[in-house]
Amino acid sequence: MVAGHPFHVAFDGIATHLGGRSSSGNDDDAPADGEPNPMANRVAEPDNADSTLADEITKYVYSKRTIYNNNAGIEESIDAGYTYSELDNYRARTKSGNGLTVLSEDAVINEYLGAPRRSAPDAALAVSATSDNLDLWPPVWDQDVRIGVIGGTGLYSLDGLNVIETLAVETPWGQPSGPITIAETERGHKIAFLARHGPSHSVLPSEVNYRANIAALKALGVQAILAFSAVGSLREEISPGDFVLIDQIIDRTKGVRADSFFTGTGVTAHATFGEPVSAGLRALVARHAAAVPDIAVHTSGTGVCMEGPAFSTRAESNLYRAWGASVINMTCIPESKLAREAEITYAIVCMATDYDAWRESEEPVTVAEVMHTMKGNAANAKTLLLALLPDFEDAVYNDSAKALMRPEAGSMQYAFQQPPEKQSAAGRATLNFLFPQYFTV
């Protein structure tokens, strides 16, 4: 992405918050009895605060409780007993409503707020909210993050990598499933990791904000995504524990998921989707199958994406087998479609957990069966990822021809049917978040 592209982001564990004195007197968001008061011990807003910040700073988050404020100012809102990991970031928005670009947490505090990070929750901090220390606002996201990993059921974190930041990003389509972890490889490259169902698996497949997930990764600069997903096997030869690198998808969702960035924008566009998964990225993953010798890695197959959350009936499972499908899951649509719209190279590793419901000789799949297999699947997924990362990094960072990403890069250039003057101005402003090269504002 271009440095300085605006989006709304917060850092996990930030120790200062943007906000101000409440002008409404509304206590709807006040803490319940017995809870620490997030407004206690604050630094009062200085008299010379820049009044133009009043519309720019809209909210901040404190200890997983959102307090809304409309006035400018910077305040201390830390109670004794709270640690940085328990404080839940700040959130802020520019006056234009486009959100914030970001630098690192310490850079925000040191460079823009003019104060060092505190070493203890109750340490004193005095910060002035004048235009002198906010004239460089908003800070700029300057990290080079080109690889994204989306974890499915059982895969909620990355091992073997150096975690450097955790970001909470807001997009025009809302917030993603959870915070995005930025990790660094041994070679110094950055990877963005997102748990599709949230870090505690609290989001059902139909409730995942797929648009925000893909948009947030795109905003961070991601050009290629390797996703992981738990699936049911529709073939005898695909045993529970095996991995399948599907190359085709059958959409059996029911139209309840927001499946296009263009819906509601007044801009019509049609992405090509004949080959829904990147052949190059599938091949790259397949080259490292030997890293997980105890399982089979099937290098092609057709995946069915059902709505869920209930599993298939036996009749449905046999219908999908008759169609020639290999595995079934609940999430590859619209995730893969949105990645294509966003011009992101995408492949998915399907991790078989069960035989769905087609086998007459055994009971249909249960959650207990899925979770029993997922522990081993998650370990194998992490092993496979670490093994393929050097090749993945070379393809994304070191190949001057960018052959891996070439099929998707620029693929939406001729997908728009209306001339710019016929497109909705509001829609163009929204789509500028993803496509600044196509939609100028």
Side-chain angles (χ1 to χ4, degrees):
M1 63 174 287
V2 177
H5 186 68
F7 63 101
H8 183 183
V9 66
F11 291 94
D12 186 30
I14 196 159
T16 55
H17 307 270
L18 299 180
R21 296 191 299 249
S22 173
S23 60
S24 65
N26 190 330
D27 292 329
D28 290 345
D29 291 304
D33 290 342
E35 288 189 34
N37 181 2
M39 302 299 287
N41 305 321
R42 64 182 181 177
V43 175
E45 179 186 359
D47 293 336
N48 63 345
D50 187 345
S51 61
T52 63
L53 295 178
D55 294 327
E56 295 179 5
I57 301 172
T58 59
K59 66 180 180 177
Y60 66 91
V61 176
Y62 174 87
S63 191
K64 299 180 174 61
R65 294 183 61 87
T66 302
I67 312 297
Y68 292 89
N69 293 279
N70 295 317
N71 294 332
I74 299 172
E75 61 193 22
E76 177 187 2
S77 56
I78 297 179
D79 278 271
Y82 276 74
T83 66
Y84 289 117
S85 62
E86 291 168 325
L87 293 170
D88 231 14
N89 318 325
Y90 73 86
R91 298 196 189 280
R93 187 181 292 276
T94 62
K95 190 173 183 179
S96 65
N98 289 332
L100 290 178
T101 50
V102 301
L103 204 61
S104 71
E105 170 188 339
D106 287 326
V108 169
I109 298 173
N110 294 336
E111 294 184 36
Y112 297 102
L113 303 185
R117 180 171 180 166
R118 288 171 289 181
S119 59
D122 57 350
L125 175 65
V127 181
S128 171
T130 67
S131 58
D132 291 340
N133 59 1
L134 291 172
D135 57 355
L136 296 178
W137 197 268
V140 175
W141 174 252
D142 65 349
Q143 302 295 317
D144 188 6
V145 182
R146 304 185 198 179
I147 293 175
V149 176
I150 298 177
T153 301
L155 187 59
Y156 308 116
S157 63
L158 293 179
D159 293 341
L161 300 174
N162 178 33
V163 174
I164 57 176
E165 289 178 319
T166 303
L167 309 178
V169 181
E170 185 167 326
T171 78
W173 297 275
Q175 295 179 349
S177 300
I180 297 176
T181 299
I182 306 298
E184 188 173 63
T185 70
E186 290 184 356
R187 303 166 83 181
H189 295 127
K190 307 295 192 303
I191 293 178
F193 175 82
L194 173 64
R196 183 186 292 113
H197 299 282
S200 60
H201 201 107
S202 58
V203 187
L204 287 170
S206 300
E207 297 174 337
V208 171
N209 192 340
Y210 296 96
R211 293 194 296 184
N213 285 356
I214 298 298
L217 292 172
K218 172 82 170 183
L220 292 172
V222 168
Q223 300 175 19
I225 292 173
L226 183 60
F228 291 82
S229 175
V231 301
S233 169
L234 298 173
R235 297 289 153 195
E236 191 71 48
E237 65 270 19
I238 301 175
S239 303
D242 285 0
F243 288 0
V244 184
L245 308 178
I246 60 170
D247 58 310
Q248 282 296 328
I249 299 172
I250 298 172
D251 183 358
R252 287 285 290 166
T253 61
K254 298 179 180 178
V256 300
R257 308 177 184 195
D259 62 356
S260 174
F261 290 111
F262 300 97
T263 302
T265 64
V267 176
T268 56
H270 301 278
T272 179
F273 202 57
E275 301 293 338
V277 178
S278 165
L281 188 49
R282 280 179 43 244
L284 188 153
V285 176
R287 288 198 295 271
H288 296 274
V292 283
D294 295 333
I295 64 170
V297 178
H298 305 265
T299 57
S300 65
T302 296
V304 174
C305 187
M306 63 181 293
E307 188 63 54
F311 296 121
S312 304
T313 66
R314 213 181 286 276
E316 289 170 331
S317 191
N318 278 305
L319 174 65
Y320 303 144
R321 280 171 47 79
W323 287 353
S326 309
V327 295
I328 183 167
N329 84 343
M330 301 179 187
T331 55
C332 61
I333 295 291
E335 187 174 90
S336 55
K337 284 186 177 181
L338 292 166
R340 179 60 53 84
E341 284 190 349
E343 301 183 336
I344 297 175
T345 297
Y346 177 92
I348 184 168
V349 178
C350 295
M351 306 177 291
T353 59
D354 56 84
Y355 279 113
D356 200 45
W358 58 271
R359 271 185 158 190
E360 299 285 349
S361 60
E362 60 186 54
E363 291 297 314
V365 57
T366 65
V367 170
E369 181 181 1
V370 169
M371 297 313 296
H372 174 74
T373 310
M374 271 312 306
K375 184 175 181 180
N377 283 1
N380 284 328
K382 294 175 181 179
T383 299
L384 178 62
L385 180 62
L386 289 176
L388 65 83
L389 265 180
D391 272 2
F392 201 179
E393 292 174 84
D394 283 341
V396 174
Y397 287 95
N398 299 332
D399 178 13
S400 58
K402 297 191 179 300
L404 179 65
M405 288 86 72
R406 188 182 300 129
E408 292 76 33
S411 61
M412 295 298 293
Q413 183 176 359
Y414 302 109
F416 312 112
Q417 290 190 301
Q418 309 145 293
E421 62 272 15
K422 298 295 185 181
Q423 294 169 343
S424 159
R428 288 180 61 84
T430 297
L431 293 169
N432 172 262
F433 184 91
L434 278 179
F435 308 109
Q437 71 275 37
Y438 304 141
F439 299 95
T440 57
V441 293

